[in-house]
Amino acid sequence: MAKEMTRSTFELHYFSIHALGATSRAILSIAGADWKDRIQSFETWKTDKELTPFGSLPILTVHDIHGNGEDETTTTKKIPEADVIERFLSKRFGFLGSTTEEELEICIALSQTITIHNVWVFRIVPASAMGSEVREKVLGTFLEVTLRNWVVNCEKQLRANTNTNTNKGPFLVGEKISLADIKTAVLMDMFLGVPEVETYLNEQVAPGLWRLKEAIDTAPGYKEYRRSDAFREQDEMTTKMVVPQLEGFDLSRSHLFA
């Protein structure tokens, strides 16, 4: 007879930046999980990456403990790829809904954020290292088209959910926090760091997103993590290592509620 799993511990191996580790850290914090960061050095990454499955981070190590006392046993698994980690953790902690229908709705809402996240990673971040003319053109298109449309679609989804949600919670799907909410709030941090974004993403233009971000940022566990020295270092290192030439980028603008 298989022993019952009694507890789990988690270790997230990633750099001291937000980027692809931010959503998983938020999930673990909100869930109240027993977890820790394993910070990867940029200096040794060229060598260390050969030891990873795909030459990339993050990697999540999960230790599941079964039984108690002398009968206690541990199974360990290592999970690569940010998206896989986020979905695994969300499934483990109930952030992917309680039915297949809810999971589908959450994944649909999540897809909107994944799409704009990819634009940020593959267009805005590279353009930030190019000349000012290219940088301004790419950022201008992102603000006027991509970000504006994303905000409109998110607000529409949030209003629709509020109208069918008996608890009137500020979430994209249902009445409790989901992966879609967490990833959306995390990505808003990056957007709000850009000074020009204020015109397109603010409490007046996006009241639903503002309420959602407040709910995530002030969630027990994550609120404390956002105030930690580790999180402040990630703010600083993200600015320094990810978008060093994006003029005026300042993640302190994202600390609206916690």
Side-chain angles (χ1 to χ4, degrees), residues 34-51:
D34 181 355
W35 75 285
K36 64 180 179 179
D37 271 316
R38 175 186 168 191
I39 300 301
Q40 171 63 47
S41 166
F42 284 100
E43 287 72 22
T44 61
W45 174 235
K46 185 175 181 180
T47 301
D48 293 345
K49 70 187 301 182
E50 301 299 326
L51 304 175

Side-chain angles (χ1 to χ4, degrees), residues 145-172:
V145 180
T146 310
L147 182 63
R148 190 189 295 274
N149 288 340
W150 179 74
V151 169
V152 168
N153 289 334
C154 285
E155 289 295 314
K156 186 189 302 181
Q157 173 73 22
L158 287 161
R159 285 194 301 273
N161 189 50
T162 299
N163 291 337
T164 59
N165 183 347
T166 57
N167 290 336
K168 304 299 181 185
F171 308 121
L172 286 160

Side-chain angles (χ1 to χ4, degrees), residues 173-230:
V173 178
E175 300 179 351
K176 61 181 183 178
I177 293 173
S178 75
L179 173 58
D181 302 312
I182 297 171
K183 196 169 186 72
T184 296
V186 165
L187 190 58
M188 284 177 69
D189 279 350
M190 295 298 104
F191 296 163
L192 291 168
V194 181
E196 295 87 347
V197 163
E198 186 177 2
T199 302
Y200 305 86
L201 183 58
N202 57 63
E203 189 173 7
Q204 288 69 45
V205 172
L209 283 169
W210 233 245
R211 289 192 296 271
L212 183 151
K213 181 167 172 57
E214 181 176 14
I216 299 301
D217 288 5
T218 60
Y222 190 46
K223 178 180 180 179
E224 290 73 24
Y225 185 66
R226 288 179 66 87
R227 292 177 172 175
S228 68
D229 291 341

